[in-house]
Amino acid sequence: MRYIARGLALAGISLGLAVAPGTGSAGAAPQEARSLYAPSALVLTVTAGDDALSGTILRAVTLGCAPSASGTHPAPRAACAELRAEQGRFDAGTTTAPGVSCTRQWDPVTVTADGVFDGKRVSYTHVFGNTCLQGASTGVVFDF
């Protein structure tokens, strides 16, 4: 039995798997400290058509909100501030601003948000009737 144990120890050392005496689960290094911020990382898209899965993606950006605003979104700070103010509800930014006139032409544009916001999984889709309605929305999250 000793020969087997010594043989395994020698094999482990030759493979670079040596374990210092007195180490094990009790002597394991402490786990890395967790972040103080809930994760927030989103991919936002604008797609031609009324189906995000089969339409053509026109534009896509990334948006991270924790610990600070980041990503390829043109206004990450404003977008993150809007999402925080609305407690992560994307519908608040897709309403049409009052006094805006758009045609009733049906040429749909779909916006999506997928990822994590404030530690919660997000999968959001909204269809605008046309690009004018999308541009007339009150929010900045999908303004790219």
Side-chain angles (χ1 to χ4, degrees):
M1 186 66 161
R2 282 188 235 173
Y3 297 112
I4 294 172
R6 186 172 52 181
L8 290 174
L10 290 174
I13 290 171
S14 68
L15 293 174
L17 303 174
V19 176
T23 62
S25 61
Q31 289 186 354
E32 193 173 313
R34 299 205 185 264
S35 174
L36 297 175
Y37 304 98
S40 292
L42 299 166
V43 175
L44 309 171
T45 64
V46 176
T47 305
D50 59 358
D51 182 15
L53 296 177
S54 64
T56 302
I57 296 177
L58 302 174
R59 295 179 299 282
V61 297
T62 58
L63 179 65
C65 294
S68 62
S70 62
T72 59
H73 193 285
R77 287 183 184 160
C80 289
E82 179 179 297
L83 285 172
R84 283 188 195 105
E86 297 298 331
Q87 298 173 338
R89 291 188 311 262
F90 291 88
D91 282 331
T94 57
T95 57
T96 304
V100 175
S101 296
C102 289
T103 64
R104 291 188 170 197
Q105 171 189 1
W106 180 249
D107 188 12
V109 176
T110 304
V111 294
T112 64
D114 286 302
V116 177
F117 181 76
D118 200 21
K120 297 177 186 116
R121 176 78 177 101
V122 173
S123 185
Y124 175 81
T125 302
H126 180 81
V127 178
F128 290 99
N130 55 48
T131 55
C132 177
L133 291 170
Q134 183 210 356
S137 64
T138 58
V140 296
V141 173
F142 295 108
D143 189 17
F144 57 89

